[in-house]
């Protein structure tokens, strides 16, 4: 029985959207909310780009976007697609030929706005290439690059202008009998993004790609994204997301997952419950948690681990986790297994011991599935 069915206050109503596919990854409908990121290597540097894509995939990315600004990039995509562990989205800005080349190279999705391609013949060529090669399209409206006529009409970037822009691009695809698309309306301003996404969610049943664009550095961007995306996800809006940080793309993936995990929308890896520590701590909580986070990165099985400094909160938290450790006195603490006190272990040996226990428990959980 899932937690949601016995604890209704955990339920999040999810907007009903159409389901599309990016390669083999479903997006929309009742599919898991997918996490994506974008490479920042030079795309024509195949080995650097493949390495970064696959590091992101190892961190949990369901798909990765790759810039294709020139022919060298779309040529490189042939090789990159073959070596990538996940479907790739080719990021095209204006040039319709790059879109066609990327589709031919095996991109699973094109990030391109049909209204920016140019003539209707060019639009038709791109849509034909997408259809021929099974590519989806992501319409990406950005508050910072709205069409001039919309800026003239609305006076400044605003949610209504972003929604109108998105619906205009949708209309072009629909007029060309193309429904295999998703859409984003990103802005760097959390309020503008949230209002645009809410309006968009009412205006279309297309799958929605969430993002707060140019959110900032690791800490500030994480918080901004957690507030903006968290608020939308809590309202049931969003089928896939990218957290945009001025940081390693792997960090974007980790943050994306943490947002989804916090809302119970995805489960992956070890959820560490740890206290902030204080003078009562029986061991160095902060150092221990930092070590455990690194040493448990390889665990993909959803499970929980409590690392609590003392008995004030330790036994209570351990009751609800797969594995737990609570600091005691005299250089040792209590290990909990499946919520029950199990044995003592010295603080010095605790990290490696807990890693082994988590590995053991993750295997058991996998076998129980
Ligand atoms: S659980 Fe104990 S060590 Fe941790 S913050 Fe609370 S009182 Fe301090």
């Amino acid at each position: 029985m899932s937690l949601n069915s016995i604890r209704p206050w955990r339920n999040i109503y999810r907007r009903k959207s159409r389901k599309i596919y990016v390669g083999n990854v479903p997006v929309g409908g009742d599919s898991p909310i997918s996490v994506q990121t974008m490479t920042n290597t030079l795309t024509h540097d195949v080995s650097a780009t493949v390495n970064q894509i696959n590091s992101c995939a190892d961190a949990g990315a369901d798909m990765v976007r790759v810039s294709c600004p020139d022919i060298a990039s779309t040529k490189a995509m042939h090789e990159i697609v073959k070596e990538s562990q996940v479907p790739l989205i080719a990021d095209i800005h204006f040039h319709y030929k790059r879109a066609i080349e990327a589709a031919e190279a095996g991109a699973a999705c094109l990030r391109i706005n049909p209204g920016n391609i140019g003539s209707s013949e060019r639009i038709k060529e791109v849509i034909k290439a997408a259809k021929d090669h099974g590519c989806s399209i992501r319409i990406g409206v950005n508050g910072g690059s709205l069409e001039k006529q919309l800026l003239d009409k609305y006076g400044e970037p605003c949610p209504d202008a972003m929604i109108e822009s998105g619906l205009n691009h949708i209309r072009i695809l629909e007029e060309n009998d193309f429904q295999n698309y998703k859409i984003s309306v990103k802005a760097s301003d959390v309020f503008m993004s949230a209002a645009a996404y809410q309006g968009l969610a009412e205006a279309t049943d297309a799958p929605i790609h969430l993002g707060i664009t140019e959110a900032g550095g690791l800490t500030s961007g994480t918080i901004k994204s957690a507030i903006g995306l968290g608020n939308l996800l809590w309202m049931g809006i969003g089928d896939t997301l990218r957290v945009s940080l001025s940081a390693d793309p792997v960090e974007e993936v980790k943050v994306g997952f943490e947002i989804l995990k916090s809302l119970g929308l995805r489960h992956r890896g070890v959820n560490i419950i740890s206290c902030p520590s204080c003078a009562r701590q029986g061991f160095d909580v902060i150092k221990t948690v930092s070590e455990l986070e690194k040493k448990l990165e390889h665990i993909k099985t959803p499970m929980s681990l409590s690392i609590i400094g003392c008995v004030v909160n330790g036994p209570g938290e351990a009751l609800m986790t797969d594995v737990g450790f609570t600091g005691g006195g005299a250089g040792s603490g209590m290990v909990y297994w499946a919520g029950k006190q199990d044995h003592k272990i010295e603080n010095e040996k605790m990290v490696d011991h807990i890693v082994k226990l988590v590995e053991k428990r993750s295997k058991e959980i996998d076998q129980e599935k």
Side-chain angles (χ1 to χ4, degrees):
M1 187 181 283
S2 78
L3 281 178
N4 283 358
S5 60
I6 55 174
R7 294 179 180 141
W9 39 267
R10 278 181 184 273
N11 280 338
I12 290 182
Y13 164 81
R14 180 135 174 232
R15 163 185 168 264
K16 295 226 176 328
S17 58
R18 266 188 295 119
K19 187 190 284 187
I20 66 161
Y21 281 85
V22 176
N24 60 357
V25 177
V27 178
D30 57 0
S31 320
I33 296 170
S34 46
V35 174
Q36 49 182 292
T37 183
M38 185 169 179
T39 54
N40 58 18
T41 52
L42 290 171
T43 303
H44 61 256
D45 185 342
V46 172
S47 81
T49 303
V50 167
N51 284 343
Q52 194 171 61
I53 290 168
N54 288 337
S55 297
C56 294
D58 289 341
D62 299 291
M63 57 188 99
V64 174
R65 182 155 51 114
V66 177
S67 279
C68 290
D70 47 30
I71 294 183
S73 302
T74 48
K75 269 191 182 159
M77 281 292 280
H78 287 268
E79 197 56 37
I80 295 168
V81 165
K82 275 188 218 146
E83 297 189 40
S84 171
Q85 295 172 22
V86 291
L88 299 181
I89 301 149
D91 190 86
I92 314 290
H93 266 269
F94 303 108
H95 207 302
Y96 78 110
K97 282 198 173 159
R98 300 296 88 76
I100 295 167
E101 290 158 8
E104 288 169 351
C109 179
L110 306 173
R111 190 281 200 195
I112 189 165
N113 290 345
N116 296 345
I117 299 173
S119 67
S120 59
E121 284 71 33
R122 289 181 175 186
I123 293 170
K124 283 187 197 319
E125 280 191 61
V126 169
I127 291 175
K128 180 176 184 314
K131 282 182 180 171
D132 287 350
H133 296 279
C135 272
S136 52
I137 287 179
R138 197 249 291 183
I139 295 167
V141 173
N142 192 312
S145 54
L146 283 168
E147 295 85 349
K148 185 175 177 310
Q149 72 273 19
L150 288 173
L151 289 175
D152 290 344
K153 176 176 172 182
Y154 289 95
E156 60 176 5
C158 64
D160 284 346
M162 293 166 69
I163 296 165
E164 187 168 331
S165 172
L167 295 179
N168 286 342
H169 293 302
I170 284 179
R171 187 175 34 77
I172 295 171
L173 293 181
E174 296 277 356
E175 282 172 359
N176 284 278
D177 193 25
F178 191 88
Q179 287 83 32
N180 192 16
Y181 62 84
K182 53 196 167 87
I183 179 165
S184 62
V185 279
K186 299 185 185 182
S188 57
D189 180 274
V190 173
F191 290 95
M192 200 190 302
S193 279
Y197 274 114
Q198 286 175 66
L200 186 73
E202 287 177 15
T204 175
D205 69 346
I208 287 182
H209 166 121
L210 291 183
I212 304 295
T213 196
E214 294 124 22
L218 183 56
T219 302
S220 57
T222 295
I223 292 166
K224 205 192 251 191
S225 299
I227 291 170
L229 305 190
N231 172 44
L232 288 162
L233 289 163
W234 208 314
M235 288 191 280
I237 297 170
D239 300 290
T240 181
L241 63 84
R242 179 203 176 184
V243 172
S244 299
L245 301 174
S246 305
D248 188 326
V250 167
E251 298 299 332
E252 294 190 348
V253 177
K254 288 182 184 170
V255 173
F257 262 99
E258 288 304 323
I259 292 172
L260 293 175
K261 280 159 74 176
S262 300
L263 290 168
L265 293 168
R266 285 286 293 269
H267 304 281
R268 183 180 194 278
V270 184
N271 180 23
I272 300 182
I273 289 132
S274 58
C275 75
S277 79
C278 73
R280 289 195 185 92
Q281 65 183 342
F283 62 101
D284 188 335
V285 174
I286 293 173
K287 179 165 164 274
T288 301
V289 170
S290 167
E291 283 177 21
L292 283 169
E293 278 178 343
K294 286 198 185 75
K295 292 191 176 195
L296 294 173
E297 273 184 349
H298 63 292
I299 304 285
K300 310 281 186 272
T301 310
M303 58 177 291
S304 53
L305 166 68
S306 56
I307 300 293
I308 307 292
C310 78
V311 292
V312 169
N313 289 326
E317 292 294 350
L319 274 180
M320 296 180 279
T321 50
D322 292 293
V323 179
F325 179 80
T326 295
S332 67
M334 180 60 68
V335 174
Y336 293 75
W337 182 260
K340 295 200 175 76
Q341 274 195 19
D342 203 76
H343 57 274
K344 280 194 164 182
I345 184 83
E346 292 163 44
N347 292 348
E348 281 173 16
K349 298 179 182 161
M350 185 264 276
V351 169
D352 290 338
H353 184 66
I354 292 289
V355 170
K356 285 201 183 100
L357 289 178
V358 168
E359 286 171 343
K360 181 180 167 203
R361 181 67 190 132
S362 77
K363 281 189 192 126
E364 284 181 3
I365 293 172
D366 288 343
Q367 280 163 7
E368 287 163 11
K369 279 179 192 166

